[in-house]
Amino acid sequence: MRWALVKVALAVTTMVVLAFAVPLGLVIREMARDRAFSNAEREAAAVAPALSITTDRDQLERVVAAAGSDAGMAVHIPAGDGQEALELGRQRAADEEIAAVRKLGRASTTGVPGGSTLLQPVALSTGEIAVVEVYVPQAEVTNGVGTAWAVLAGVGVALVLGSVAVADRLGVRMVRPAKRLVDGARELGEGRLGARVPEEGPTELRLAAVAFNSMADQVVQLLANERELAADLSHRLRTPLTVLRLNTASLGEGPAADQTRSAVEQLEREVDTIIRTAREAKPQTAAAGPGAGCDAAEVVRERMAFWSALAEDEGRTWRVAGADRPVRIPVARADLAAALDALLGNVFRHTPEGTAFAVDVHNAEDAVIVLVSDAGPGIPDPKAAMARGRGSGSDGSTGLGLDIVRRLAESTGGDLRIGSSVLGGTEVRIWIQVDGRAPASRGHRQLRRRRPGRPAAAFKHS
């Protein structure tokens, strides 16, 4: 915007300067020419009275000398009444031009080498017409024109530079508030909620800054209210959790009792984490700094060990592939565990007992892909299942679990996709960018699927 204003000011001022300076320069040149020929007419007029009285050479030479232009003046007297023609001074004009002026009785100018001449007819006492020739050098015609044009050019350049400077200052006055508004919007979009814009500059930009600051304050207040609501709702869960934990103590010993107690303890930890996160307003998703994050293979092994007990009870076969070596990802351990629990919980909740499932971990060059697949009936509308609060359409499905997984993947620059698995049911693919950059294309590289007959890890029968 700043340079646009400068360009507009430069163009407009240049046009105005040219519109006034060019005609004014031409007028100055014509004024200098008129001045030079006016002086020549005065000199010719000074000789005319003497010519009307006498044609004596000596007297006329004294008159021409008194006029001060004897070197540039010539008098042409024709012959008549027994008197020979008389020529005084240096003739520069052609005889034909002199004869034409004598015949027409009108003054005229004609160009000669080095300048111009003024031919002025004068009537003699004898009735003949004499011609007074006054030489006007070219230097006298252009005297002062160059200086005047230089002054005009200097004034024009000064006006153009002044207008550019003024436009630049006006542009800065407009651009700086606009740039601060853009920077503030970018900072707010990046999650820096303390970003505010100085309320200064032109009226429109000042009003925009006021509106932006008011919006930012409302965003902060809404987020604070949301955090408080989440903390309050999570805090309400503590009482029934406490009762549930006390009841688990009476279950006795056994795998089912241990699993129930472990699930209650994990639920209590998750509730505490939600409360702390809401109170402190610190995101728990992507980790920052070198070495941050977790080992995805270790988390997969741990969660599959947890769900294997329930799989055994329901007669499900399962397998894990690609989790036999460390796979570092920039995601907090608790977040990845929560995402896996959400997906595996969906498998147990929305597929019949005995349905097989699998978890595959693929470690690519710049990304880690976690595939959770099952042999169930599949999801009729994957796009609707991704919508937060809608779910797959089956009983008990809200879509919040998939939304949690999606936000975890997108926090690293990756994404979440739902498709058909090689087992015949649903496959949920979590694409996690290792370097935190956005993927080059939304299609990503297609990973070669393993054929059902050649699994990377054999299914375990529970």
Side-chain angles (χ1 to χ4, degrees), residues 9 15 19 21 39-40 81 103 152 189 243 346 388 390 430 454:
M15 292 174 60
N39 293 335
D81 294 338
K103 180 180 179 181
L152 283 177
V243 175
N346 284 343
R388 179 179 176 89
R390 294 180 60 182
I430 311 172
R454 299 176 58 188

Side-chain angles (χ1 to χ4, degrees), residues 297-352:
E298 181 183 355
V299 176
V300 168
R301 293 194 302 268
E302 175 187 320
R303 300 320 301 159
M304 288 299 291
F306 173 82
W307 287 98
S308 62
L310 183 57
E312 180 180 356
D313 293 341
E314 295 186 357
R316 298 176 182 267
T317 57
W318 56 275
R319 71 170 168 84
V320 178
D324 53 348
R325 57 185 179 277
V327 180
R328 298 294 303 181
I329 58 173
V331 174
R333 182 188 186 90
D335 289 342
L336 180 60
L340 289 174
D341 286 343
L343 296 180
L344 293 173
N346 284 343
V347 172
F348 281 85
R349 187 177 302 111
H350 302 299
T351 62

Side-chain angles (χ1 to χ4, degrees), residues 38 109 146 148-149 173 225 302 314 403 436:
S38 295
T109 59
W149 283 6
R173 185 170 177 267
N225 293 340
E302 175 187 320
E314 295 186 357
D403 186 69

